[in-house]
Amino acid sequence: MFIRKIGLIGRTYRHIARYSEILGVLFKFGFEDLVISLKVEHYLDLGRQILFFKRKEKIEHYSRAERLRMALEELGPTFIKLGQMLSTRPDLLPPDFLEELAKLQDKVPPFEWEEAKGILEAELGPAWSEIFVDVALEPLAAASIGQVHLARLVEGEEMVAVKIQRPGIRRIVEVDLEILFHLATLMERHLEGWAMHRPTEVVEEFGRTMEREMDYRIEASNIERFAANFLKDQRIYAPKVFREATTERVLTMEYIQGIKADQINRLQTEGFDLKELAVRGADLVLEQILIHGFFHADPHPGNIVVLPGHVVCFLDLGMMGRLDRSTREDLVDLVMAVVRRNESALVEALLKLSVWEEEPDRRALGRELRDFIDIHLDRPLKELELGRLMQELFHLASKYGLGVPSDLLLLLKALTSIEGLGRRLDPDFDMIEKARPFVERVQKERFHPRRLAGDLWEFGKEIAQAIKEMPGELRAVLRLARQGRLKFEFEHLGLDPVVNTLDRTGNRLSFAIVLASLIIGSSLIVLSGIPPKWRDIPMIGLAGYLVAGIMGFWLLISILRGGRM
C-alpha cells in the first residue's frame, strides 16, 4: 500500500519541500482560502513566505474550476491522475468542475533513453538486447507513468510497443499520496460538511488505483481477459501481449497501426463511415458494461484506434471497471425508472446501487427525483446525454448521504467518454437508443427459464448447506452452555433517558431519607440533653442540624437546576 499516514502524531518534516511546493501552487492559483481553512500551519513550520506567496501569473479572469485544473497540471503526474479521477465524482464536485477536470491530459516530457535502458536491464536482465532489436531511441509517446518505444522481437521479427515505466515515479507517487492523505485528514477535521464525504477514503481508493496502474502485469492480464471476452467478435481487436518480455515495470505488446478515433478528417479521407464507427464504438462499450461486466474505464478518443473494415481497437487497459451481475441488473432498473418516469422505482434502484450508513428520507428523495425527471425528460430522449444524466443523478443522491461505489464512478467516466466521441463522429448520435437493446437483453436474461432454474438451484444449495451445518452449530452452542461460557448480550436502545431519570430519582430519594434521619436523630439528642452542651443545648444535636441544613439546601439547588420541583 502506497499511503503511510503522516502528520497524525506530532509534526512531520519528512516531505517539507514537496509540501511547501504544493501549498505554494495552491496559493499561486488563488486557493489561499482553502489552505488557511485547513490550518496547515499547526502541523508544518512553513513560515510566512507561504502565507504571502506572490502569484506569478494573472489568474483572476479564470474560473475557480479552471484554476484547479491548472494547479493540478503544474503539480505533476500524481495530481493530474487525481484530477482525472475526481472528474468522475459527481458526489464530490459540481458539474462545472467535473467538466473542467475531464480536460486534464498527461503533458510530461519524455525521459532519456539511457534511463529507459536502465529500466529494461533491471527488469529483463542484461540479455534484454537478445529479446528486442531495432529499438527506437525516441519514444513514440510519453505519459506521466511511462513512455512507449517501438522495437522488433528477435524471434519472429514482429513489431512491438514496449511501455517502460518512468524512473523514480513510484517514489514520487508515494510522497504525494502521503501528503494528500494528510490534507484529506485536515479537510475532514476543519472543513464543514466534508467529513460525510470521507476524503481520506477517497485518497485511499485513489492510492489503490495508482498501485494497480503502476504494475504492468495487471494491465497485461486485463488485455488478455478483454481479448477472451471478444474472442469471436470480428468488430473488435485486442493487441497480443508478450509475457516473456513483460514485468512490473515493462509491458510488451503488439504494435497497432491505425487511425485515432478523434482524427475525423483522416477517417473521412480514408473512406470510413463515421456514423457506423459511432454506433460500433457505443455498442462495444455497452456490451463490455452490461454483458461482460468488465469494461475499459477510460475510452477517450486517444485510447481508441480504428483499423481497416471499421474494426475498433482499445488501447491502454490499465484502468478497468468491474460490475457483477446484480449491479448490472440494478443499473438497468435505474435507467428504466428514469425513462418511465417512475420515481419510486428510481429511489429503490438508487438505494441498491449506492452505499450509505443511514437510510435517507425516501419521501424527500422521491420529491427531488420527481423534479429531476420533470426537468430532464421534458425533451426528446435523443437530446439527452446518458452519461451526464447519470452524473447529475448521483450528484443529487450525494445530498442525501448516498455514496457511489468506485466501479460505478468508472462506469460514468466510460459512458461520458464514449458518448462524447459518438457525438463528435455523428451529431445525431443517440446513446439512450443504442443502450435500449442491451437493457432489453439484460431484462430478458433475468427471467430466462435457465436463469430462474439456476437461481433456484443456488438457493436450494444454500438452504441445504444451512440445514447441514445446523446440527454442528447447535452442538457448539450446547458445548458452550455445558462449559458455562454461553453468554447473552442485550442492547436496549432509547432507554438511556429513562435510566438516567430513575437514577436521579433514586439518588434524591436516598438523599431525602438520610436527611430526614439526620433531623430526627439530632432532635432526639437535643431532647435527651446529652453533653457536651453549648448554652444548655447538646452540641452533637446542633452539629446534626447544621449538616441537615446544608444537605437540604443542596437538595433544593439540584431540584431547581433540574427544572422540576
Side-chain angles (χ1 to χ4, degrees), residues 97-379:
F97 279 80
L98 301 178
E99 185 175 348
E100 193 63 35
L101 293 182
K103 300 175 183 177
L104 280 167
Q105 296 294 331
D106 294 343
K107 297 178 181 179
V108 182
F111 51 92
E112 297 295 328
W113 165 247
E114 288 301 318
E115 293 180 294
K117 187 169 70 171
I119 299 292
L120 289 174
E121 289 179 351
E123 294 295 306
L124 302 176
W128 70 270
S129 58
E130 298 177 8
I131 301 175
F132 305 115
V133 293
D134 299 332
V135 181
L137 303 186
E138 293 296 322
L140 180 66
S144 56
I145 303 298
Q147 65 188 32
V148 177
H149 289 261
L150 289 181
R152 290 188 182 277
L153 291 176
V154 171
E155 296 182 4
E157 291 292 316
E158 190 168 0
M159 184 70 78
V160 293
V162 185
K163 185 189 289 190
I164 304 171
Q165 195 169 108
R166 188 172 290 273
I169 187 64
R170 178 172 286 268
R171 176 59 181 164
I172 292 171
V173 171
E174 285 178 355
V175 170
D176 285 348
L177 282 173
E178 290 180 16
I179 294 172
L180 279 170
F181 189 88
H182 186 246
L183 291 173
T185 304
L186 299 182
M187 290 177 70
E188 290 184 356
R189 192 174 300 167
H190 299 300
L191 296 188
E192 185 179 354
W194 271 90
M196 64 174 290
H197 294 301
R198 301 181 182 87
T200 51
E201 292 185 12
V202 173
V203 175
E204 287 178 339
E205 177 62 30
F206 175 59
R208 287 190 289 269
T209 300
M210 290 298 293
E211 197 164 13
R212 289 193 297 268
E213 281 200 56
M214 295 179 69
D215 188 344
Y216 288 164
R217 295 169 298 184
I218 294 177
E219 183 172 352
S221 298
N222 290 341
I223 295 172
E224 290 169 342
R225 179 178 172 182
F226 188 84
N229 286 342
F230 292 96
L231 191 59
K232 297 181 181 180
D233 196 329
Q234 301 300 316
R235 301 170 301 166
I236 190 171
Y237 186 82
K240 179 183 176 182
V241 175
F242 298 91
R243 282 283 187 174
E244 67 277 9
T246 294
T247 66
E248 182 179 351
R249 296 194 293 166
V250 175
L251 171 62
T252 304
M253 58 184 179
E254 177 186 359
Y255 173 56
I256 303 297
Q257 289 182 298
I259 305 174
K260 292 290 181 70
D262 58 351
Q263 296 177 317
I264 307 296
N265 292 334
R266 187 178 170 191
L267 288 170
Q268 290 176 322
T269 303
E270 296 288 337
F272 286 96
D273 185 338
L274 300 186
K275 290 189 176 184
E276 171 63 22
L277 286 176
V279 170
R280 182 164 293 192
D283 285 349
L284 291 171
V285 169
L286 288 167
E287 184 171 340
Q288 293 170 40
I289 294 170
L290 293 176
I291 307 303
H292 301 298
F294 182 70
F295 59 93
H296 195 303
D298 191 20
H300 65 74
N303 285 337
I304 300 176
V305 172
V306 180
L307 306 177
H310 293 80
V311 175
V312 177
C313 179
F314 291 85
L315 303 176
D316 193 6
L317 277 74
M319 187 189 300
M320 302 295 290
R322 294 162 178 82
L323 299 176
D324 58 31
R325 186 174 67 180
S326 176
T327 303
R328 299 198 299 270
E329 291 174 353
D330 292 339
L331 187 63
V332 166
D333 290 341
L334 181 79
V335 174
M336 293 304 299
V338 172
V339 173
R340 292 173 177 171
R341 299 171 176 257
N342 187 337
E343 67 267 11
S344 59
L346 184 54
V347 169
E348 292 298 328
L350 202 54
L351 290 176
K352 287 181 180 179
L353 287 170
S354 306
V355 290
W356 37 274
E357 293 183 356
E358 294 185 5
E359 184 172 341
D361 184 336
R362 288 176 177 252
R363 287 190 175 183
L365 179 57
R367 286 193 296 270
E368 287 255 26
L369 292 174
R370 190 183 310 120
D371 294 339
F372 173 85
I373 291 173
D374 290 341
I375 291 171
H376 288 85
L377 270 71
D378 280 343
R379 47 182 171 163

Side-chain angles (χ1 to χ4, degrees), residues 465-562:
Q465 185 67 23
I467 294 173
K468 182 179 177 181
E469 292 175 356
M470 191 177 297
E473 298 290 341
L474 184 59
R475 281 196 298 270
V477 172
L478 293 175
R479 189 183 307 114
L480 290 173
R482 284 197 302 269
Q483 296 172 353
R485 294 162 53 198
L486 186 64
K487 297 180 180 179
F488 295 93
E489 294 185 2
F490 295 94
E491 182 179 4
H492 297 284
L493 301 177
L495 294 180
D496 287 345
V498 177
V499 172
N500 292 334
T501 301
L502 289 175
D503 283 343
R504 286 197 304 272
T505 303
N507 291 337
R508 288 176 180 177
L509 184 60
S510 301
F511 202 86
I513 292 173
V514 171
L515 177 61
S517 301
L518 191 58
I519 292 172
I520 293 172
S522 300
S523 299
L524 291 174
I525 292 173
V526 169
L527 291 174
S528 64
I530 299 174
K533 297 181 179 181
W534 179 75
R535 295 187 178 182
D536 293 329
I537 302 174
M539 294 181 64
I540 295 176
L542 286 175
Y545 284 137
L546 179 62
V547 172
I550 294 172
M551 290 179 64
F553 186 70
W554 189 1
L555 178 61
L556 180 62
I557 292 297
S558 68
I559 292 174
L560 291 174
R561 281 182 177 177

